[in-house]
């Protein structure tokens, strides 16, 4: 099989599908290739927290990109749901970043001040105020930083909605299609070679999460991204235990529809191991009960893992390959892939069209990488 497209995207996670959606809206003929199923890895495993102020503590390009991406959700979700017929499960009941000790209390109060100066909304809740809002949290906590604008989504459904919406606009999705090499000539990409044949394109975007490094090594560079394993589990409760997301150092509890609670996530760097372990889940269980003791009586549902892509400096790579024209990279989102998906799709579409603002703080050249030679299959 040999097909021709305007753009080929290697990776069918949420960011690959978001890029496909934006390009399809602009009239591009797009193909999305994934070696497994769409949203079958980290995108489908995520808890779906849109945690700009929860996760990011310093103002800067990443914080600003995250704020923009969060703001895009309100108008984007109705559009995606209409095109895809997938219910995304968006909720905006805020996040409680709880303090377990005096050091965290002092730190979070300072963070509130800095975020308020940056124009964001956040407030400190004493234990009395926190218990009024979330009566089932542990009395051993000291209070919480309340972030009303950090919401959440159903991560798998959102990823699927991006993919189906892009298909409704003309994009083509190819599952179980493994990219094995690039088609290169004179420092330019002309497509990819896959397990299902060749896909020719003027532009190729690598958006394969933690597996992006492996793919890009075929072009002579070693991308500074490592895999970080995260384990999660979910339970069901008859009556709601929490309204907003409870977030702490080392554990979060995210209330979903129909009485589900998602609890995550462990952090194990340099691991592609997707097995769920007794050690990881038991650790999360202990931490969850320290936050909301009554979760001990919840009904077990299931456990799973996700492999997240962490870059050397914590920021994603969003830009052109340093040595090959027409080859682009969108990878390294770590814990913020769901949050950053709308802005990632828009920014990458702008970069392909030469419309992105400069300088781009997410280019690969900001960090050291190994290798410069162009390898791959030559035409």
């Amino acid at each position: 099989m040999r097909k021709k497209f305007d753009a080929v995207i290697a990776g069918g996670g949420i960011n690959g599908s978001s890029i496909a959606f934006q390009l399809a809206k602009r009239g591009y003929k797009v193909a999305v290739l994934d070696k497994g199923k769409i949203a079958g890895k980290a995108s489908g495993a995520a808890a779906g927290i849109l945690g700009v102020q929860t996760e990011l503590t310093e103002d800067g390009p990443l914080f600003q990109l995250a704020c923009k991406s969060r703001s895009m959700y309100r108008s984007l979700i109705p559009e995606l749901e209409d095109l895809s017929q997938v219910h995304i499960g968006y909720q905006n009941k805020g996040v409680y970043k709880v303090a377990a000790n005096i050091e965290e209390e002092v730190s979070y109060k300072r963070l509130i001040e800095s975020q308020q100066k940056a124009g964001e909304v956040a407030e400190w809740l004493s234990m009395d105020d926190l218990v009024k809002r979330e009566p089932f949290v542990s009395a051993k906590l000291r209070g919480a930083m309340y972030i009303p604008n950090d919401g959440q989504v159903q991560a798998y459904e959102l990823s699927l909605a991006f993919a189906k919406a892009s298909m409704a606009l003309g994009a083509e999705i190819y599952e179980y299609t493994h990219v094995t090499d690039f088609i290169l000539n004179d420092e330019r990409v002309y497509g990819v070679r896959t397990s299902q044949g060749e896909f020719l394109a003027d532009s190729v975007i690598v958006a394969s999460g933690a597996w992006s490094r492996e793919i890009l090594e075929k072009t002579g560079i070693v991308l500074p991204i490592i895999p970080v394993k995260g384990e999660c589990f979910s339970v069901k409760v008859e009556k709601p235990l929490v309204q907003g997301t409870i977030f702490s150092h080392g554990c979060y509890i995210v209330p979903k529809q129909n009485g589900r609670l998602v609890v995550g996530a462990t952090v194990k760097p340099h691991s592609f191991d997707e097995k769920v372990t007794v050690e990881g889940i038991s650790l999360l269980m202990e931490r969850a009960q320290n936050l909301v003791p009554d979760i001990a009586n919840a009904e077990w549902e299931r456990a799973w893992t996700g492999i997240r892509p962490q870059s050397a400096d914590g920021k994603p790579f969003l830009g052109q390959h340093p040595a090959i024209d027409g080859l682009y990279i969108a990878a390294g989102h770590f814990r913020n892939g769901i949050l950053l998906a709308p802005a990632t799709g828009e920014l990458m579409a702008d970069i392909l069209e030469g419309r992105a603002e400069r300088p781009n703080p997410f280019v690969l050249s900001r960090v050291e990488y190994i290798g410069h030679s162009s390898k791959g299959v030559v035409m």
Side-chain angles (χ1 to χ4, degrees), residues 258-274:
N258 302 319
R260 289 183 71 239
L261 296 173
V262 173
V263 179
T266 61
V267 178
K268 186 177 182 180
H270 303 284
S271 178
F272 279 107
D273 179 10
E274 296 183 83

Side-chain angles (χ1 to χ4, degrees), residues 32-279:
V32 178
L33 317 178
D34 197 281
K35 65 180 179 181
K37 289 186 67 66
I38 292 297
K41 295 296 183 180
S43 299
I49 303 171
L50 306 179
V52 179
Q53 297 166 251
T54 305
E55 293 269 19
L56 306 175
T57 58
E58 295 182 5
D59 195 7
L62 180 57
F63 186 83
Q64 293 161 16
L65 183 72
C67 286
K68 176 184 178 181
S69 201
R70 182 181 63 184
S71 69
M72 294 173 68
Y73 267 101
R74 288 191 179 276
S75 61
L76 183 61
I77 285 176
E79 181 182 10
L80 289 176
E81 290 186 332
D82 180 60
L83 285 168
S84 69
Q85 296 300 298
V86 174
H87 179 61
I88 293 167
Y90 174 73
Q91 296 184 47
N92 192 16
K93 297 182 180 180
V95 175
Y96 298 91
K97 190 170 184 176
V98 297
N101 51 55
I102 185 63
E103 291 79 13
E104 289 182 347
E105 178 180 346
V106 171
S107 174
Y108 295 167
K109 286 180 177 179
R110 289 174 179 167
L111 181 57
I112 290 169
E113 292 179 2
S114 67
Q115 290 191 353
Q116 288 175 341
K117 289 179 181 178
E120 299 300 324
V121 180
E123 64 175 310
W124 176 256
L125 299 179
S126 67
M127 273 307 296
D128 288 342
D129 291 333
L130 176 59
V131 170
K132 287 177 184 177
R133 301 190 188 196
E134 299 288 354
F136 292 100
V137 299
S138 172
K140 296 180 181 179
L141 299 172
R142 296 189 61 87
M145 173 183 179
Y146 178 57
I147 308 162
N149 293 330
D150 277 0
Q152 54 139 318
V153 293
Q154 294 281 102
Y156 174 75
E157 284 77 4
L158 175 64
S159 302
L160 190 63
F162 269 118
K164 288 193 171 184
S166 69
M167 291 174 68
L169 296 171
E172 298 182 22
I173 306 290
Y174 294 85
E175 296 180 315
Y176 302 105
T177 303
H178 182 206
V179 174
T180 57
D181 221 328
F182 298 94
I183 302 172
L184 306 173
N185 192 26
D186 291 333
E187 307 298 318
R188 198 185 201 297
V189 71
Y190 289 91
V192 294
R193 179 170 287 176
T194 80
S195 57
Q196 303 299 323
E198 292 183 348
F199 289 76
L200 305 182
D202 298 323
S203 301
V204 174
I205 304 103
V206 175
S208 301
W211 289 266
S212 298
R213 172 173 172 153
E214 176 185 356
I215 294 174
L216 287 164
E217 283 179 356
K218 299 178 184 298
T219 69
I221 67 169
V222 178
L223 197 67
I225 284 180
I226 63 168
V228 180
K229 175 183 177 179
E231 297 175 76
C232 300
F233 71 86
S234 61
V235 296
K236 289 186 175 182
V237 292
E238 293 183 1
K239 296 181 179 180
L241 288 182
V242 293
Q243 297 296 321
T245 294
I246 308 300
F247 189 98
S248 73
H249 180 70
C251 183
Y252 51 71
I253 302 174
V254 188
K256 300 294 184 180
Q257 298 172 348
N258 302 319
R260 289 183 71 239
L261 296 173
V262 173
V263 179
T266 61
V267 178
K268 186 177 182 180
H270 303 284
S271 178
F272 279 107
D273 179 10
E274 296 183 83
K275 294 193 297 292
V276 176
T277 66
V278 171
E279 179 185 21

Side-chain angles (χ1 to χ4, degrees), residues 306-346:
I307 308 298
R308 299 160 294 193
Q310 183 178 20
S311 68
D313 63 356
K315 295 188 295 187
F317 296 110
L318 305 171
Q320 187 161 333
H321 189 284
I324 300 174
D325 289 340
L327 182 56
Y328 301 86
I329 300 163
H333 294 73
F334 191 35
R335 294 161 62 106
N336 297 305
I338 306 300
L339 167 64
L340 294 173
T344 293
E346 184 177 81

Side-chain angles (χ1 to χ4, degrees), residues 1-21:
M1 180 177 69
R2 199 180 209 200
K3 291 197 171 188
K4 181 71 169 72
F5 295 88
D6 298 321
V8 166
I9 300 167
I14 190 166
N15 284 292
S17 294
S18 176
I19 296 166
F21 172 71

